[in-house]
Amino acid sequence: MRFLITGHTGFKGAWLSSILKAQGHEVIGISLPPLEGSLYQQASLSQIFSSEKFIDIRNRQEFTKAIQESNTQVAFHLAAQPLVRESYKTPIETYDTNVMGTLNFLDGVKKSEITVAVVITTDKVYKNKNLLRGYTETDELGGYDPYSSSKAAADIATQSWISSFSANNVAIARAGNVVGGGDWGVDRLIPDLVSSFRNGAPAQIRYPEAIRPWQHVLDCLAGYISLSEKMLSIGVSGAWNFGPEIAIENTVARVADLAARNWGGSASWEIDSNPNPHEAGYLLLDSTKARAELGWHDRLDFSSTIEWTMEFYKAVAQGSSSRNLLDNQVSRYLSLG
């Protein structure tokens, strides 16, 4: 099959394109040019795409035309401004990219021959009430910071689009805090830990008691793929959560401890005493619906998730090829069944 991925030069896009290619599919990409030092660049992933175009998704005419001309059957919309802190610096650009960019994607799909489309939002679309239970697909949406609220707005806009235009070939995927090798994004826990470990300095942790739905990127993306497959087979739509089994003990501190142990040596962390922007204390996802109706499940538990992640980063630090590591972990993951 032919798959379209928007945001294919990003962290999730790089892993998703690698999985689909390993499964024998053809992949087409639309994205901004890759960032210097990104996984896409380090792993030379341009080689695996049948075609790719570098377009700003806010450019409606050019973006929708590229979608129409992609000649693909399944489309995954991952392109976004994905960072909370960046959203405080560039709120208007964040809303424009995440809301209008999503609408431009939906308009392009509507005018194309694409069979099914999956819009990727986030676990942060839910109005956070610091609940020690997982949010379900029917919980209230909201968002404190510009990033979260822009993704909630994109989610609501997609729901409205589905209803208004009978777009039953569109579904929404809401995922948790994904981790995995090759994420070099700023202000993200694992990349910050790795950067400090490599420099021999204690990592600075902002909110050690915060709870998040930590999940390996491969488990998350397997959920997206399983959703697209079910859409093709029986025509499901709507919103779907993809997160790990609920575990309130998996705090930021536990992630940092396990990451330091896997890295070895003098790796350590300490609490950042500087003032930091607001972040929710607790955020958990209930993925019962996806498990029951899609037959999807995590193949990597919490410990394995951190182990696979740090294995990748340590190997890169020791000179291993990012492309070989990416292909190897994808192959190992697919063999888990």
Side-chain angles (χ1 to χ4, degrees):
M1 293 179 60
R2 285 171 61 89
F3 285 79
L4 170 65
I5 303 172
T6 73
H8 72 287
T9 60
F11 169 61
K12 277 188 181 179
W15 279 95
L16 179 57
S17 58
S18 297
I19 299 172
L20 293 172
K21 194 68 177 179
Q23 292 177 324
H25 300 297
E26 195 174 349
V27 284
I28 312 299
I30 301 175
S31 180
L32 289 176
L35 295 175
E36 186 69 29
S38 65
L39 177 59
Y40 169 92
Q41 188 180 72
Q42 290 186 353
S44 301
L45 290 181
S46 61
Q47 301 169 1
I48 73 174
F49 288 88
S50 298
S51 70
E52 57 182 347
K53 293 183 179 180
F54 299 118
I55 297 170
D56 190 323
I57 64 173
R58 294 174 294 180
N59 184 331
R60 180 157 59 106
Q61 183 174 357
E62 193 174 355
F63 183 38
T64 56
K65 181 182 178 183
I67 293 172
Q68 289 175 261
E69 294 176 348
S70 67
N71 190 30
T72 51
Q73 295 155 295
V74 179
F76 292 104
H77 180 54
L78 279 69
Q81 193 299 93
L83 301 174
V84 172
R85 285 196 168 196
E86 178 62 27
S87 76
Y88 283 108
K89 300 174 187 175
T90 57
I92 304 303
E93 291 83 353
T94 296
Y95 286 110
D96 198 8
T97 299
N98 293 349
V99 181
M100 294 310 301
T102 297
L103 288 171
N104 289 341
F105 169 77
L106 292 168
D107 189 42
V109 169
K110 183 171 180 283
K111 296 172 180 176
S112 75
E113 298 300 316
I114 289 171
T115 307
V116 300
V118 181
V119 173
I120 311 304
T121 58
T122 174
D123 56 353
K124 295 172 182 62
V125 299
Y126 293 108
K127 185 172 184 179
N128 195 292
K129 301 175 183 178
N130 279 322
L131 302 176
L132 284 176
R133 69 159 176 85
Y135 291 96
T136 66
E137 288 85 352
T138 57
D139 277 322
E140 181 181 6
L141 303 189
Y144 181 95
D145 55 86
Y147 166 72
S148 300
S149 59
S150 71
K151 294 297 278 187
D155 198 303
I156 292 168
T158 302
Q159 294 179 51
S160 173
W161 187 278
I162 294 169
S163 300
S164 299
F165 302 107
S166 299
N168 295 322
N169 65 330
V170 177
I172 300 165
R174 302 167 182 163
N177 284 55
V178 298
V179 299
D183 181 5
W184 304 106
V186 296
D187 292 326
R188 291 182 180 172
L189 178 59
I190 294 292
D192 287 350
L193 288 169
V194 170
S195 177
S196 295
F197 295 166
R198 292 184 70 167
N199 293 329
Q204 301 295 302
I205 302 299
R206 296 191 292 271
Y207 299 103
E209 298 308 313
I211 300 170
R212 296 289 184 270
W214 310 105
Q215 181 181 50
H216 197 278
V217 63
L218 286 168
D219 274 328
C220 170
L221 299 177
Y224 298 169
I225 294 170
S226 68
L227 174 56
S228 70
E229 290 171 345
K230 190 67 72 170
M231 292 172 72
L232 287 168
S233 63
I234 64 171
V236 301
S237 60
W240 301 78
N241 286 344
F242 294 99
E245 293 286 354
I246 293 173
I248 63 173
E249 68 271 17
N250 290 340
T251 62
V252 167
R254 189 172 183 218
V255 173
D257 285 340
L258 189 54
R261 188 155 60 248
N262 276 274
W263 188 269
S266 61
S268 64
W269 63 273
E270 60 188 23
I271 298 175
D272 183 358
S273 59
N274 295 314
N276 287 292
H278 169 273
E279 290 185 24
Y282 310 128
L283 178 54
L284 298 163
L285 278 184
D286 185 329
S287 302
T288 301
K289 178 183 174 184
R291 288 184 169 84
E293 299 184 32
L294 303 180
W296 165 83
H297 63 279
D298 287 316
R299 303 179 192 181
L300 300 175
D301 61 16
F302 176 75
S303 295
S304 298
T305 291
I306 305 303
E307 287 167 9
W308 280 44
T309 299
M310 300 313 293
E311 172 190 285
F312 191 110
Y313 283 109
K314 281 187 69 175
V316 168
Q318 293 165 358
S320 294
S321 158
S322 292
R323 177 65 174 274
N324 289 343
L325 290 165
L326 185 63
D327 291 343
N328 177 264
Q329 288 200 343
V330 167
S331 177
R332 284 164 56 196
Y333 181 82
L334 293 176
S335 71
L336 294 177

